[in-house]
Amino acid sequence: MPTEPPFTTPPDANPLDHSLSPARPFSSDEREAIYRAIETRRDVRDQFLPDPLPDDLVERLLKAAHAAPSVGFMQPWNFTLVTDGAVRQAAWVAFSRANEEAAAMFEGEKQALYRSLKLEGIRKAPLSICVTCDPTRGGKVVLGRTHNPRTDVYSTVCAIQNLWLAARAEGVGVGWVSIFHDSDIRAILDIPDHIEIVAWLCLGRVDTLYTEPELAVKGWRQRVPLEELVFRNRWGGGVDTEACE
């Protein structure tokens, strides 16, 4: 039988065409898995198991983070992996001091509820990752960042979300610790002055997760209905129901 001639690139073809692939929808199973990861992701504060995470698993999570979108493709993130017990203890001491200050900002029942929350991730999780943002990466002028310098941090948060969703798919819990003085963590990890600390993440295997966000389950705050958050064409603009009919 005759065989098809080998594919050759036409001389006038766009040299970038080879980098494109069909944008087909995912299969129903693939879509379901992605939405499930999004809907069941939780901020884990206390339920970590002590078992170390395998290196290959951690690498997969970091690759997922590194695949995040970034403005101007500047990729401003760094990931400092913390497994040393002494370093984690120093971070926990810094957190505890700030946490006491935070508790004092609430009053009455709210303060009691705050103090009842178990926030033991730093000491219990086998791995912590300090995620930072380097605003100098990409040079002084970065495509897409010319009029909004904070887009480097927004990009870094996208990397965190990527890691978080990948961790959920892997059965790994993640907790985002934000209660600390920047100067304390900067000193503990020897972070340069120009680098911005974005998040301290606690990671570890978990047996169970809350079916709803823990703060909703414990009565701190409930999810805001989506319809209260969506505007049309301008701030506060409601949906034009007649146009939708």
Side-chain angles (χ1 to χ4, degrees):
M1 296 180 62
T3 59
E4 294 183 1
F7 176 80
T8 57
T9 303
D12 58 345
N14 186 331
L16 297 180
D17 283 349
H18 71 278
S19 65
L20 300 176
S21 62
R24 298 188 182 96
F26 287 5
S27 70
S28 58
D29 288 345
E30 290 169 332
R31 290 197 303 271
E32 182 180 349
I34 290 174
Y35 285 113
R36 182 184 177 202
I38 293 171
E39 291 165 1
T40 63
R41 181 212 54 80
R42 295 289 175 262
D43 190 6
V44 180
R45 295 174 172 83
D46 182 60
Q47 299 89 4
F48 295 104
L49 302 176
D51 310 305
L53 297 177
D55 290 342
D56 61 334
L57 170 56
V58 175
E59 184 177 3
R60 288 198 298 273
L61 299 182
L62 293 176
K63 284 182 176 179
H66 191 43
S70 61
V71 172
F73 203 41
M74 67 182 299
Q75 306 158 74
W77 42 72
N78 281 92
F79 310 97
T80 301
L81 309 186
V82 180
T83 56
D84 183 87
V87 177
R88 284 162 49 200
Q89 177 63 21
W92 182 83
V93 170
F95 156 78
S96 297
R97 182 166 56 249
N99 194 46
E100 279 302 308
E101 296 170 359
M105 298 178 187
F106 299 99
E107 297 179 353
E109 294 182 0
K110 208 69 172 179
Q111 184 180 107
L113 179 55
Y114 182 93
R115 292 187 180 279
S116 73
L117 298 173
K118 294 183 178 181
L119 306 173
E120 291 296 313
I122 293 177
R123 290 200 294 190
K124 294 185 71 173
L127 172 66
S128 287
I129 302 178
C130 184
V131 185
T132 53
C133 173
D134 184 350
T136 66
R137 193 165 297 159
K140 293 183 178 180
V141 181
V142 177
L143 186 155
R145 186 171 169 259
T146 53
H147 292 73
N148 189 346
R150 297 299 290 165
T151 53
D152 52 11
V153 178
Y154 306 159
S155 300
T156 304
V157 174
C158 287
I160 293 170
Q161 179 77 334
N162 267 21
L163 184 150
W164 214 332
L165 294 176
R168 177 65 191 93
E170 297 275 7
V172 174
V174 178
W176 184 329
V177 179
S178 58
I179 304 171
F180 53 76
H181 289 287
D182 184 277
S183 57
D184 288 340
I185 301 302
R186 191 173 298 278
I188 292 168
L189 299 183
D190 197 24
I191 296 174
D193 290 342
H194 75 282
I195 299 296
E196 183 168 355
I197 300 172
V198 180
W200 181 290
L201 304 178
C202 303
L203 288 84
R205 292 285 189 188
V206 289
D207 276 339
T208 59
L209 290 171
Y210 284 95
T211 56
E212 296 290 335
E214 182 181 357
L215 294 184
V217 171
K218 296 187 175 179
W220 184 266
R221 186 174 175 84
Q222 299 305 308
R223 191 180 299 280
V224 178
L226 178 60
E227 55 268 23
E228 295 182 12
L229 306 175
V230 179
F231 302 146
R232 181 67 61 86
N233 296 320
R234 65 185 186 279
W235 179 266
V239 175
D240 185 351
T241 55
E242 293 184 1
C244 298
E245 294 178 352

